[in-house]
Amino acid sequence: MRRRLAAGNWKMHGLATDLTEADALARAHPAPTVEVLLCPPATLISRMADVLARTPLSVGGQDCHAAASGAHTGDTSAAMLVDAGATHVILGHSERRADHGETSAQVAAKTAAAHDAGLVAVVCLGETEVERDAGQTLAVVSEQLRQSLPGSATAGNTVIAYEPVWAIGTGRTPTLEQIAEVHDHLRSLLPDHEMRLLYGGSVKPANAAEIFAITNVDGALVGGASLKAADFGEIIAALEAADGGTS
Ligand code: 13P
């Protein structure tokens, strides 16, 4: 059985004062029946790990360098994330692919580095609106999957997140049929049947339940709605309900 995962990506949001949201989330969900992960900006990883110590909630980074160490000003190694208290790292997010020109080959190298350091990598992929309109969605995500996963990827150390670029931060989501189509396709390509496959892109309390009811959706990677404990808590509860657990 694949353990369902609710992952929050705070992106470049959050100061120390916002750790109250992580604390509130942990207090409201002391024993979630699904896995819960929060990925704050690098500056907050250590302090969030302190806040969430002795809770079942995990902390992750949003990127790491492919090298173990070296002259890479401004970058963070996978071992540094571990040192700060992270157990996971988001890699290949479309915002990094767009803002920093990250290629799938670089994402694979970063993912291998994350594995070497003992991190679980949440590897992101997804088509642009132009690619979807051109009927290229399945071809694009297949190729991204093939190129972004290193040989070290297993169900234990890797989670895939399908995030259509045009659905991120826009309030627009694919139809349930479109999500199902991509997830069914990706699942058929995954190297391990136990590898988890998340959906991401404008997941909110209002649409979480219907998205989590889709076969082959093992959870969500949530941006904006993960910043507030109340909203993310509702999404966690929807995932627990879909899982047959209690909230
Ligand atoms: P939103 O949930 O804000 O659309 O962001 C999705 C995302 O990019 C998560 O990584």
Side-chain angles (χ1 to χ4, degrees):
M1 259 312 265
R2 298 187 294 270
R3 182 138 193 256
R4 296 197 188 219
L5 169 62
N9 175 8
W10 278 18
K11 307 191 179 185
M12 199 170 74
H13 298 287
L15 300 174
T17 47
D18 297 299
L19 291 170
T20 52
E21 295 297 327
D23 185 51
L25 189 74
R27 288 176 194 276
H29 299 268
T33 59
V34 298
E35 194 176 337
V36 179
L37 167 67
L38 277 179
C39 300
T43 48
L44 287 185
I45 291 173
S46 171
R47 277 177 286 186
M48 188 181 282
D50 286 345
V51 168
L52 298 182
R54 292 173 294 282
T55 81
L57 281 61
S58 306
V59 179
Q62 299 176 9
D63 178 50
C64 72
H65 199 279
S69 63
H72 302 291
T73 302
D75 280 314
T76 307
S77 74
M80 290 169 183
L81 295 180
V82 173
D83 193 44
T87 51
H88 295 64
V89 61
I90 297 169
L91 292 171
H93 192 282
S94 66
E95 288 151 14
R96 295 216 48 95
R97 292 179 189 257
D99 295 354
H100 301 274
E102 278 186 18
T103 64
S104 291
Q106 288 170 326
V107 175
K110 290 179 175 207
T111 304
H115 293 161
D116 282 348
L119 290 167
V120 174
V122 180
V123 178
C124 305
L125 43 84
E127 82 286 1
T128 63
E129 187 159 29
V130 170
E131 289 164 342
R132 176 161 284 276
D133 289 346
Q136 296 169 344
T137 297
L138 297 185
V140 166
V141 297
S142 305
E143 198 55 19
Q144 285 178 333
L145 181 70
R146 192 179 67 75
Q147 294 181 11
S148 300
L149 286 193
S152 55
T154 67
N157 64 20
T158 306
V159 176
I160 306 297
Y162 167 57
E163 300 203 306
V165 177
W166 52 275
I168 294 175
T170 60
R172 296 168 59 200
T173 50
T175 65
L176 302 180
E177 291 73 22
Q178 287 172 327
I179 296 174
E181 180 188 34
V182 177
H183 276 245
D184 289 351
H185 182 71
L186 287 172
R187 166 123 337 269
S188 74
L189 299 176
L190 290 180
D192 186 327
H193 186 72
E194 291 299 307
M195 193 175 284
R196 289 172 293 175
L197 187 50
L198 310 182
Y199 169 77
S202 296
V203 176
K204 309 283 178 209
N207 62 16
E210 60 185 13
I211 292 171
F212 295 150
I214 300 171
T215 312
N216 286 326
V217 172
D218 300 317
L221 181 56
V222 182
S226 72
L227 293 169
K228 292 290 168 209
D231 289 344
F232 198 40
E234 281 191 54
I235 292 170
I236 291 166
L239 190 59
E240 289 179 317
D243 200 44
T246 54
S247 56

